Amino acid sequence: FGGATYIYEWAMPPNPHLAVDPTLVEYGPWPPPAVGEEFDIDVYIMDLSGEWGLHNASFTLAFNDTLLEVLDVTVAPEWSTSNVDTSTPGVVGVFVGDFVTPPPYGDVLVVTVRFNVTYQGSYPDVDESPLALDNIVLWNTVEQIPTDPPVNGLVRINGLLTLELPYLEVSSVTMGPEPARGELFNVT
């Protein structure tokens, strides 16, 4: 037998992308008011191939801080290194690294952000807060991993439609012109 030469070439896997879940949260216009309502938004790295060997990830999540406030940011427990920065109004900065059981693959949860609604106008006003992912950087141990465009979210707060309070009303009754003392009559 003669000798043989084998060449292995690494084929680049598909690009992952970040996504907000759910992509739409909507309140109003009917009572009760939306102010004080809390909801969770998850941020995932989607369609991540294990062949990328992801080591760490960072991104920002921007929102309208006149409509929403961040109550809490919980990093998924599979990340052993993390840093969350909420010091800039309207922005959550996230860094995660060192996945507990490498390599991460599939749809990988990064963080859960708990928001509180702080403003709701009056009907027919509609206020919206995009939940925009930006500054996305994914690294393996050698290079930056290319990503596809993110799937952003939206929070829509329809103005509160306040209804008139119910009341009782007596329909008018006309009697006369002669005196009606002692006469029976119906009132609706």
Side-chain angles (χ1 to χ4, degrees), residues 27-34 120-125 157-163:
Y27 290 100
W30 309 107
Q120 181 180 26
S122 298
Y123 185 83
D125 294 343
I157 304 170
N158 296 290
L160 183 62
L161 178 61
T162 52
L163 305 174

Side-chain angles (χ1 to χ4, degrees), residues 20 31 42 49 58 76 83 87 96 103 113 117 153 178-179 181:
V20 168
D42 293 327
S49 171
S58 63
N83 183 39
S87 63
V96 293
V113 182
V117 178
E178 67 278 343
R181 190 172 196 178

Side-chain angles (χ1 to χ4, degrees), residues 118-134:
T118 57
Y119 176 80
Q120 181 180 26
S122 298
Y123 185 83
D125 294 343
V126 177
D127 293 303
E128 293 183 337
S129 173
L131 300 175
L133 293 162
D134 199 10

Side-chain angles (χ1 to χ4, degrees), residues 6 11-12 28 30 35-36 58 69 75 79-80 85-86 88-89 100 139 142 159-160 167 170 172 184-185:
Y6 296 95
M12 185 178 292
W30 309 107
V35 174
S58 63
E69 70 176 338
V75 176
W79 301 99
S80 60
D85 180 10
T86 57
T88 302
V100 174
W139 279 91
V142 177
L160 183 62
Y167 61 94
V170 175
S172 64
L184 293 175
F185 61 93

Side-chain angles (χ1 to χ4, degrees), residues 59-61 63 73 82-88 91-95:
F59 60 90
T60 57
L61 176 66
F63 61 95
V73 180
S82 65
N83 183 39
V84 175
D85 180 10
T86 57
S87 63
T88 302
V91 178
V92 176
V94 175
F95 171 85

